[in-house]
Amino acid sequence: MAETKGDKGAKAGKSAKPGKSDKPVAKGGKPDAAAAASAKDAKGKPQARKEGGAEIVAAGAVKAAPKDYVARLKKIYQDEIVPKLTKEFGYKNALEVPKLDKIVLNMGVGEAVSDTKKVTSAAADLALIAGQKPVITRARKAISTFKVRENMPIGAKVTLRRTRMYEFLDRLVTVALPRVRDFRGLDPKSFDGRGNYALGIKEHIIFPEIDYDKAEAMLGLDIVVCTTAKTDAEARSLLRAFNFPFRQ
């Protein structure tokens, strides 16, 4: 018995029209807004899902910090360091108490003269250390002695403020500096006379974010801690309160 057109349509079902994508449809025949939103999220950033009451973040997703999050060192500064410095120097106004302004990380790549790709690798390592995308620094003028051309990429730098600044300082003091070989303390005289402190690190692999096996080369790193202190004595007391391991 030959099949009719109705029988063929029943077996094959309704086929989608060419050139149009299938949209989630609710019972009433109209597109379901909730289903469409979830489908749209799947195309964009990975979304978190719940299994057994626990929230699981998909691979590659960045979970934002809670709104009431306060860095550990910032809380210590507000609760302990401010009263301590006020008592030590006799400040009459709370705004006189010195505080951290910013931290600048600078990484120079001398080998970039022969291979500019090493600057990109150094910038990637600096981004892991700082938790923030760095800026590629370029030569201002050509220097034939060092084979440097004008506008050539020669390093990377990044400026940290607020929460990221306190988090980096916490990792530097508690994790990175104790991993330095033959470490005997920081130089207590490396101030510039205006309350800013500078220190140099010979090997950037002391930071736990850097994988030793994947590091292409040992790179140096300059760290400048800028404060609002007016004198070196005030800045030194501030950094000592943050447990900076100054040499005795």
Side-chain angles (χ1 to χ4, degrees):
M1 185 175 179
E3 293 183 351
T4 62
K5 293 183 179 180
D7 297 334
K8 290 181 180 180
K11 288 184 179 181
K14 295 181 180 180
S15 59
K17 293 182 180 181
K20 293 184 178 181
S21 59
D22 296 335
K23 295 183 180 180
V25 180
K27 293 181 179 179
K30 297 181 180 180
D32 190 354
S38 61
K40 185 177 180 181
D41 292 341
K43 294 180 182 179
K45 297 181 180 179
Q47 299 296 315
R49 68 182 190 276
K50 289 187 177 181
E51 291 185 5
E55 187 178 10
I56 300 176
V57 181
V62 179
K63 190 174 181 180
K67 293 182 180 180
D68 57 345
Y69 171 75
V70 180
R72 187 179 73 92
L73 287 187
K74 185 175 182 179
K75 187 174 180 59
I76 291 176
Y77 172 78
Q78 294 172 348
D79 298 342
E80 302 177 12
I81 299 179
V82 171
K84 179 181 178 182
L85 294 180
T86 302
K87 183 179 179 181
E88 182 178 353
F89 294 97
Y91 298 120
K92 297 180 180 180
N93 192 331
L95 298 177
E96 291 184 74
V97 182
K99 61 181 180 180
L100 296 178
D101 184 26
K102 61 183 177 180
I103 296 179
V104 181
L105 310 180
N106 181 36
M107 183 179 286
V109 185
E111 299 176 357
V113 175
S114 58
D115 187 4
T116 56
K117 292 182 179 179
K118 293 186 177 181
V119 176
T120 306
S121 176
D125 289 348
L126 187 59
L128 292 175
I129 293 172
Q132 181 175 310
K133 185 178 179 180
V135 177
I136 302 297
T137 55
R138 299 178 179 273
R140 295 181 180 178
K141 60 181 180 179
I143 303 176
S144 59
T145 307
F146 301 106
K147 299 180 180 179
V148 175
R149 298 187 302 274
E150 187 178 356
N151 205 31
M152 174 186 286
I154 54 175
K157 70 174 182 178
V158 63
T159 301
L160 303 177
R161 301 177 189 272
R162 302 181 183 88
T163 301
R164 288 179 181 173
M165 171 184 66
Y166 285 104
E167 290 178 346
F168 171 78
L169 190 66
D170 197 357
R171 287 183 282 113
L172 174 68
V173 174
T174 59
V175 180
L177 289 179
R179 299 178 65 180
V180 177
R181 290 181 296 177
D182 300 329
F183 182 69
R184 298 183 180 181
L186 299 175
D187 187 2
K189 298 181 181 180
S190 295
F191 289 90
D192 64 348
R194 299 180 180 179
N196 303 319
Y197 184 78
L199 64 104
I201 294 177
K202 295 182 179 180
E203 298 177 350
H204 75 301
I205 59 173
I206 63 173
F207 291 93
E209 293 85 3
I210 303 299
D211 189 353
Y212 178 80
D213 297 328
K214 295 182 180 179
E216 296 183 2
M218 302 296 177
L219 301 174
L221 183 67
D222 295 326
I223 302 175
V224 180
V225 182
C226 301
T227 70
T228 60
K230 298 179 181 178
T231 63
D232 291 345
E234 294 176 344
R236 190 178 295 107
S237 297
L238 174 64
L239 296 184
R240 282 187 187 278
F242 280 117
N243 292 326
F244 258 62
F246 288 115
R247 192 176 340 159
Q248 298 297 332

